[in-house]
Amino acid sequence: MSGLREVAGAVRHVDVLVVGAGPAGLAAAARLAAAGTRRVEVLDREQQAGGVPRHCAHGGFGPWLHPLTGPAYARLLTRAAVRAGAVVRTGVTALDWAGPSTLTAVGRGGPETIEARAVVLATGARERPRTARLVPGTRPAGVYTTGELQQAVHLYGQRIGSRAVVIGAEEVSYAAADTVRAAGAEVVAMVTDLPQAQVSPGRALNARLRQGIPLLTDAMVDELVGRGRLSAVRLRHHDGRTTVLRCDIAVFTGDFVPERELARRGDLVLDAGTRGPAVDGGLHTSRPGVFAVGSVLHPAESAATAAREGAHAADAVRRRLTGDAWPTGVPLTVAAPLRWIAPNRVTPADELPYVLRTTISLHRPVLQVTQDDRLLHRSRSLRTALPNRTVTLTASWTHRVDAGGGPVRVTVA
Amino acid sequence: MTVTARGALPSTPYDVTVVGAGVVGCAIARELARHPRLRVALVEAQDDVGQGTSKANTAILHTGFDATPGSLEARLVREGSRRLAAFAAESGIPVEPVGALLVAWDEEQRAALPRLAEKAERNGYRAAQLLDAAQLYAREPHLGAGALGALHVPGESIICPWTTTLAYATQAVLHGVDLHLNSAVQQVNRPEGAHLLTTDRGTLRTRCLINAAGLHADTLDRDLGHHDFTVTPRRGQLLVFDKFARSLVRHILLPVPTALGKGVLVTPTVYGNVLLGPTAEDLDDKRATASTADGVALLREKGRRILPALLDEEVTAVYAGLRAATEHDDYRITAHPSQAYVTVGGIRSTGLTASLAIAAHVTELLADTGLALGPERELEPVRMPNLGEAFPRPYQLAELIDADPEYGTLVCHCERVSRGEIRDALAAVIPPNSLDGLRRRTRARSGRCQGFHCGAAVRALFEEGQR
Ligand SMILES: Cc1cc2nc3c(=O)[nH]c(=O)nc-3n(C[C@H](O)[C@H](O)[C@H](O)COP(=O)(O)OP(=O)(O)OC[C@H]3O[C@@H](n4cnc5c(N)ncnc54)[C@H](O)[C@@H]3O)c2cc1C
Ligand SMILES: Cc1cc2nc3c(=O)[nH]c(=O)nc-3n(C[C@H](O)[C@H](O)[C@H](O)COP(=O)(O)OP(=O)(O)OC[C@H]3O[C@@H](n4cnc5c(N)ncnc54)[C@H](O)[C@@H]3O)c2cc1C
């Protein structure tokens, strides 16, 4: 990237540079600017600010008492950030690091270099496409992720086809099924390799009974068939049977990964579970001056969680600007059947609640937190924990952590 | 300048018609374009150039060090390699001279290395060098444990196969060759000394015919009464890994060829990815370009040994190409003077490298059939958009963006493709007729998100461009 740095010209200075104008980045910027931080700049590579909610036409966003559609929520957050005094710049991509908290970027105005006193990475997440899932077969048109499908239907009004198989049965999968139906196409089936849907029983029942969408469990996609255009998907059931579903659309949903290009280019320590940057409860990454918030940390929690976390990070950023030392914390890990936890480092001062994922369904699990064989906390969840759904853990125990001790472990008792 | 994709084909006869717009057919058409008196057609069954085997290979510009000495293939690969390197430099086709390492994983393979070095010498390639294990690991620190040594072949390079084919075709069209897409030749007759081709888009008359139909060269050959060879497609499946894998490997890591075939390699691409493959499966279906669970599993198993860290990275594409293998060990390039016809068959696994030399060879054969080529001219160079990571891309060029901000507006974020590049591709001499064609010209949608972020936006630009 040295050539880039040469052409990038003079370095511009800001106090806080936020990369990504999704719910997390916008909430962080709004809170920072409102609290008096002067030069807060948010970059987004899309032409419109708002992140993923831009293309979630359905409701369920925003404050509990005033539910909004995704696009309305995106506008609300953008307005709030701008009103508070943050500068939101769209069509600008942060490319790479040019210093400890300096980034290069490019947009219509050409390459630029921005040095900040603190950087907040809020780059979001994506769904893994068919290729990353190693699904064999031909390479026909008609294969989507929910993200692409929602944009095609809701932002561009594109025709998508007539018969869809939705792969996945979590929250986002049902949103994908809704989008297919909104586009006038039929959902032939939803398919999950797990034994049950990973949404509330009400939602699953509504799709099956009212909308007539069959749910095929314990099955995975074995092959995509079709030349030029998708003509069928072949499923393999856990018992070895195969089924062929005729369709011209396949939507691969869920299976999120963090959008972590900048984190990797910056050699930030990553968490093995979430695959995003490792952070403590103050959203500090391993690189002093660099924070991370939102889906890049825990793909993909709700937009509300991302926004709440953005606001929380703002306070930590302000402490950094007034000279607080960069905390190190100790690693926070989970043991199977838990899959990951975020944040995934811990300091005794941390207050942000934790989000976790499990690999198997657990009926009202008891979570146990230990450090060096010392029990720090134990609590029973009120709900059944399902894969691909949020499990939460309070931060009420963090003051018991020995900052000089070994890793803290969360296990299922 | 003529490129057609629909409607009836022209009724005026051509002097020469090349069937098949793969890398070989396009190279031949380009070579013929040196002769301004010739009226030349390039006829392709699909909706784009390079949609057959030429789009799905391992993209290596070979030295020919391991060819069978004395074969036609050995000569054309050696010569083609030099010609293509020069043409690439002139046209802006990305090439990176990374060099290859033939890695020996057991004693038998190590014992084979000196023999391969000798063979390279017999092929006129003298720069190959034996490395011991320490030297090998110094060059490739991420290589899996247990390698015993290697043969270093510094002349092997990686190249962009899509830009190569497109550059040939573009230069040919700019110099008067008519390119007719969506025109599968179904039948060939020879009434009164001229060929009459029956295609999807009507008939086409031509004095001379060149068969560069790749996998289907044998079928066309039979139409003209020849039974010299049978094409048995040999499938090669490949995995493409995310750009984050690029730093894991510096050279093309070739297996030592054994009795069981050429084996699986790991190579960087000019786009900054890493390829793992290919498999070698003899099939009888010439359309069997699907990937399979077994193929993918085999590649992952081999890859884990060669470069263990590779498997931790995301796969951004899985594809398969079909080599036009025949019962013969060499290319099947034959002139049939009495029919004013040249067969260019059996261009198996080196056709990209050899393409320009094949074109020169075929043009000579054509002259031998009695065709007067007429005066010859130098071709005006073409300049292709750069898809390679080793050279500046538009988003990195301040002056370019200054002059046209569309090059600073990124649409495909994973591959950093600007709206300006997409616009240019849609307005090019040979525009894409599909999103895949657009992808091969710009890389839009070929990154790790596979369209999650940009798919709909790219489609919108494409559809706008079609209107
Ligand atoms: C398909 C889908 C449907 C969903 N549906 C719901 C739902 O119904 N309800 C709900 O609560 N949650 C939903 N979610 C989750 C919700 O969208 C996320 O929790 C929320 O968007 C996370 O916010 P974020 O700011 O972390 O990331 P994002 O919203 O993903 O925003 C990240 C932003 O960063 C930008 N960016 C990334 N890299 C760069 C760079 N290098 N330079 C500049 N900009 C960059 C991106 O353009 C993007 O705008 C859904 C998620 C998906 C993927
Ligand atoms: C897995 C794999 C890896 C390889 N790796 C390399 C490498 O690293 N380096 C290298 O140099 N080479 C490599 N090759 C070989 C190289 O790709 C081929 O030799 C080359 O692409 C052959 O080009 P072609 O033009 O002969 O065939 P094609 O590209 O197949 O072109 C033939 C064209 O003819 C058209 N056609 C067929 N029948 C008709 C008809 N009746 N009417 C009209 N059009 C017709 C087809 O549509 C097609 O477009 C590899 C091949 C494979 C499969």
Side-chain angles (χ1 to χ4, degrees):
Chain A
M1 291 277 98
S2 56
L4 185 66
R5 239 170 282 159
E6 280 156 33
V7 295
V11 178
R12 211 157 48 75
H13 297 269
V14 299
D15 289 309
V16 182
L17 183 65
V18 180
V19 183
L26 288 171
R31 173 105 163 199
L32 278 163
T37 304
R38 282 198 302 124
R39 292 167 303 176
V40 179
E41 184 165 314
V42 189
L43 306 182
D44 202 289
R45 59 194 188 181
E46 299 297 339
Q47 299 302 317
Q48 234 95 55
V52 165
R54 281 176 307 129
H55 49 76
C56 295
H58 52 277
F61 290 87
W64 218 60
L65 290 173
H66 303 278
L68 296 170
T69 64
Y73 182 59
R75 283 192 297 273
L76 180 82
L77 289 177
T78 311
R79 258 202 314 272
V82 171
R83 252 191 221 141
V87 175
V88 179
R89 298 173 63 205
T90 55
V92 182
T93 305
L95 298 170
D96 205 352
W97 301 89
S101 55
T102 305
L103 284 162
T104 56
V106 72
R108 292 184 70 78
E112 57 182 310
T113 304
I114 308 167
E115 181 168 4
R117 295 172 61 209
V119 171
V120 179
L121 295 180
T123 49
R126 64 173 191 275
E127 294 162 292
R128 293 174 80 226
R130 172 260 175 126
T131 54
R133 302 181 196 208
L134 300 176
V135 175
T138 53
R139 305 173 69 190
V143 181
Y144 289 88
T145 48
T146 317
E148 180 177 359
L149 179 79
Q150 287 184 341
Q151 295 185 58
V153 173
H154 298 311
L155 297 187
Y156 293 95
Q158 289 164 1
R159 265 181 308 161
I160 54 166
S162 57
R163 288 167 59 83
V165 170
V166 173
I167 296 110
E170 57 186 281
E171 236 16 278
V172 68
S173 323
Y174 286 86
D178 288 344
T179 303
V180 167
R181 288 159 49 87
E186 174 196 355
V187 181
V188 180
M190 296 183 70
V191 181
T192 172
D193 57 353
L194 293 168
Q196 79 265 69
Q198 307 109 58
V199 290
S200 69
R203 178 136 210 204
L205 268 178
N206 181 57
R208 264 178 44 213
L209 300 182
R210 282 233 337 234
Q211 301 175 339
I213 302 175
L215 173 68
L216 307 178
T217 56
D218 291 313
M220 52 198 283
V221 180
D222 205 25
E223 186 183 2
L224 299 188
V225 185
R227 273 175 205 291
R229 180 81 204 185
L230 183 72
S231 62
V233 301
R234 200 179 64 207
L235 305 181
R236 177 172 296 277
H237 302 269
H238 282 192
D239 59 12
R241 277 181 308 126
T242 58
T243 310
V244 173
L245 298 176
R246 303 207 58 75
C247 59
D248 58 359
I249 311 167
V251 193
F252 286 87
T253 70
D255 196 358
F256 292 97
V257 274
E259 216 36 276
R260 56 183 189 159
E261 179 164 11
L262 286 175
R264 284 193 74 173
R265 283 179 183 259
D267 281 330
L268 268 59
V269 173
L270 303 175
D271 180 71
T274 62
R275 311 215 281 156
V279 293
D280 65 11
L283 293 320
H284 303 90
T285 69
S286 61
R287 186 165 175 155
V290 178
F291 297 78
V293 288
S295 279
V296 73
L297 298 180
H298 37 61
E301 282 294 321
S302 74
T305 303
R308 207 177 315 120
E309 207 171 72
H312 187 82
D315 298 341
V317 172
R318 282 187 61 79
R319 286 196 296 278
R320 164 76 180 174
L321 295 183
T322 54
D324 270 19
W326 197 253
T328 44
V330 295
L332 176 61
T333 61
V334 292
L338 298 176
R339 209 172 119 210
W340 55 251
I341 185 167
N344 25 50
R345 296 184 69 82
V346 53
T347 77
D350 291 348
E351 291 171 352
L352 191 68
Y354 295 90
V355 289
L356 300 87
R357 289 286 187 283
T358 168
T359 51
I360 55 172
S361 136
L362 302 167
H363 180 65
R364 299 188 58 203
V366 174
L367 296 182
Q368 198 164 285
V369 186
T370 55
Q371 183 182 32
D372 303 327
D373 296 328
R374 203 157 49 88
L375 182 68
L376 304 183
H377 175 80
R378 195 184 153 95
S379 63
R380 179 180 286 282
S381 307
L382 297 177
R383 294 202 310 187
T384 297
L386 287 176
N388 302 323
R389 287 197 80 176
T390 310
V391 178
T392 53
L393 173 67
T394 151
S396 63
W397 47 270
T398 55
H399 63 279
R400 298 203 186 92
V401 168
D402 173 2
V408 174
R409 281 165 61 85
V410 180
T411 52
V412 179
Chain B
M1 224 173 73
T2 306
V3 180
T4 73
R6 54 193 66 83
L9 293 174
S11 51
T12 29
Y14 287 96
D15 294 313
V16 188
T17 294
V18 182
V19 178
V23 72
V24 170
C26 291
I28 295 169
R30 171 188 171 275
E31 188 66 33
L32 293 171
R34 284 181 194 284
H35 304 279
R37 295 248 178 93
L38 293 182
R39 222 175 105 73
V40 179
L42 175 57
V43 174
E44 168 55 47
Q46 305 193 53
D47 68 1
D48 198 358
V49 300
Q51 286 245 69
T53 302
S54 300
K55 77 170 181 193
N57 49 49
T58 37
I60 298 171
L61 183 55
H62 293 295
T63 56
F65 79 95
D66 63 345
T68 306
S71 64
L72 178 64
E73 182 175 9
R75 173 165 80 79
L76 295 182
V77 167
R78 197 164 56 233
E79 199 183 305
S81 179
R82 270 199 307 273
R83 284 177 184 251
L84 180 47
F87 178 73
E90 171 191 296
S91 324
I93 299 166
V95 173
E96 283 184 58
V98 290
L101 293 169
L102 275 93
V103 180
W105 294 95
D106 60 32
E107 279 305 333
E108 187 196 339
Q109 292 178 5
R110 178 155 69 180
L113 294 181
R115 287 201 300 279
L116 284 163
E118 280 162 34
K119 189 176 181 188
E121 300 236 335
R122 274 185 287 146
N123 279 317
Y125 187 78
R126 280 168 239 290
Q129 254 193 332
L130 291 168
L131 305 182
D132 62 24
Q135 290 167 319
L136 169 60
Y137 282 98
R139 284 182 170 273
E140 289 291 356
H142 297 283
L143 196 68
L148 303 177
L151 183 68
H152 183 211
V153 188
E156 298 272 298
S157 304
I158 53 178
I159 187 168
C160 175
W162 307 320
T163 311
T164 302
T165 308
L166 190 63
Y168 294 162
T170 301
Q171 202 175 27
V173 168
L174 285 172
H175 288 83
V177 171
D178 290 359
L179 170 63
H180 300 300
L181 301 168
N182 296 322
S183 310
V185 174
Q186 278 131 12
Q187 209 192 333
V188 185
N189 296 311
R190 256 183 80 72
E192 300 127 38
H195 297 276
L196 188 66
L197 309 186
T198 311
T199 83
D200 294 351
R201 293 172 51 201
T203 56
L204 188 140
R205 273 168 207 283
T206 184
R207 215 172 116 207
C208 301
L209 182 66
I210 297 176
N211 171 0
L215 292 166
H216 301 280
D218 57 345
T219 314
L220 203 58
D221 221 30
R222 291 208 178 100
D223 256 22
L224 284 130
H226 307 286
H227 294 81
D228 293 345
F229 63 94
T230 302
V231 175
T232 310
R234 182 171 299 155
R235 180 164 62 195
Q237 302 186 42
L238 291 124
L239 304 183
V240 184
F241 287 85
D242 190 300
K243 295 182 139 72
F244 285 121
R246 178 63 182 86
S247 60
L248 296 174
V249 56
R250 298 178 187 161
H251 305 75
I252 303 162
L253 302 179
L254 298 173
V256 176
T258 62
L260 294 171
K262 277 201 169 177
V264 170
L265 59 86
V266 170
T267 174
T269 72
V270 292
Y271 325 110
N273 302 94
V274 176
L275 282 183
L276 168 64
T279 59
E281 308 155 63
D282 285 324
L283 307 171
D284 39 38
D285 181 357
K286 290 177 176 175
R287 302 182 345 142
T289 52
S291 58
T292 65
D294 288 348
V296 171
L298 175 98
L299 293 179
R300 286 174 59 83
E301 183 199 316
K302 303 264 185 196
R304 185 167 282 124
R305 166 130 202 223
I306 302 168
L307 204 63
L310 183 61
L311 297 206
D312 295 338
E313 300 298 342
E314 296 279 282
V315 169
T316 56
V318 181
Y319 66 91
L322 300 173
R323 307 168 188 86
T326 71
E327 63 276 47
H328 305 281
D329 268 343
D330 203 348
Y331 292 168
R332 303 303 292 168
I333 304 181
T334 316
H336 304 282
S338 64
Q339 290 177 307
Y341 170 59
V342 182
T343 307
V344 190
I347 315 295
R348 306 166 299 172
S349 48
T350 48
L352 168 62
T353 305
S355 50
L356 287 177
I358 295 173
H361 178 63
V362 167
T363 306
E364 276 169 32
L365 291 179
L366 193 66
D368 291 348
T369 68
L371 177 74
L373 298 174
E376 193 177 333
R377 61 178 166 184
E378 284 294 310
L379 298 175
E380 288 294 318
V382 287
R383 195 74 201 164
M384 304 303 288
N386 169 41
L387 305 186
E389 284 300 316
F391 311 88
R393 301 266 317 282
Y395 79 88
Q396 294 170 307
L397 299 171
E399 279 174 24
L400 186 68
I401 302 172
D402 234 15
D404 183 349
E406 292 291 274
Y407 293 112
T409 302
L410 300 191
V411 179
C412 163
H413 300 295
C414 302
E415 296 295 320
R416 298 183 173 173
V417 183
S418 64
R419 202 151 64 195
E421 290 161 274
I422 293 176
R423 174 202 62 200
D424 294 351
L426 293 170
V429 174
I430 305 175
N433 283 311
S434 70
L435 280 170
D436 270 345
L438 181 62
R439 177 175 58 76
R440 290 193 295 273
R441 285 161 175 80
T442 61
R443 283 168 46 188
R445 293 181 62 123
S446 58
R448 59 179 73 96
C449 93
Q450 290 286 301
F452 175 91
H453 296 298
C454 72
V458 172
R459 172 185 290 273
L461 290 174
F462 174 73
E463 285 174 355
E464 218 171 275
Q466 296 290 95
R467 266 188 251 123

